[in-house]
Amino acid sequence: RLGLPLNWLSAAAVVGVVAAAKPASDWTLPVPRPPQPAGFGEEQLGPFLEQNVGNAFGALLGVGAGRRALALLDSWPRGVLFLIDPYIQLRRGYDRPENVDDNEQQRRYEHLRNILHDKAGVQG
C-alpha cells in the first residue's frame, strides 16, 4: 500500500483503462473560434484613453510615418506617449509596404521629428 486512499487508486486505474481503450485517432483538437469584432478600433483608442486613463504614460511601438502617433497625440492630450521605432529596413522576414529602405526610413523620421517639433503641447 502506498498510503493513498483506495478510491484514488481505483479512479486512476479506471482512467487508465478508458484512456487506453480510446484510440488516439478519435481525439480531436478543439476548433478555435473565428476572430470576433471587439467593437473597438484604433480611431477610438485616444478618446478611450483620455476618458478612462487621463494623465498617464503610453508607448507606441512601430511609429513609421507617424500617422497613428499624431492621431493619438491629438485625441489623448493629457497622455505622455513614447514613440519607439528603430527606423531601419528589416531585410528578411518582414515583407510589408511600410518596410522601406534605410534612406526612406531616415526621411520619415526627420519629417515626423519636424512635425512634432512644431506641434504645440508636444515636447521631446
Side-chain angles (χ1 to χ4, degrees):
R1 213 167 128 112
L2 301 173
L4 299 173
L6 184 59
N7 58 355
W8 186 87
L9 287 172
S10 301
V14 169
V15 169
V17 169
V18 171
K22 187 171 185 178
S25 62
D26 288 348
W27 291 41
T28 58
L29 295 174
V31 178
R33 288 182 26 194
Q36 303 296 314
F40 189 89
E42 84 179 51
E43 62 277 350
Q44 287 101 16
L45 180 59
F48 173 83
L49 293 171
E50 181 65 24
Q51 181 179 5
N52 296 295
V53 179
N55 189 15
F57 295 96
L60 181 61
L61 303 176
V63 178
R67 183 187 55 79
R68 185 172 294 128
L70 293 170
L72 268 174
L73 289 169
D74 287 340
S75 59
W76 187 29
R78 294 186 296 159
V80 175
L81 189 60
F82 292 94
L83 306 178
I84 303 166
D85 196 313
Y87 285 102
I88 59 169
Q89 181 183 22
L90 301 174
R91 300 194 191 288
R92 286 182 271 157
Y94 189 71
D95 299 324
R96 306 254 170 97
E98 56 271 3
N99 187 26
V100 295
D101 65 31
D102 288 342
N103 290 329
E104 179 60 25
Q105 293 282 9
Q106 185 66 30
R107 281 192 285 278
R108 287 181 179 186
Y109 164 75
E110 290 174 6
H111 179 70
L112 181 59
R113 181 191 61 197
N114 292 338
I115 290 173
L116 293 173
H117 182 278
D118 296 338
K119 192 171 183 61
V122 175
Q123 70 179 41

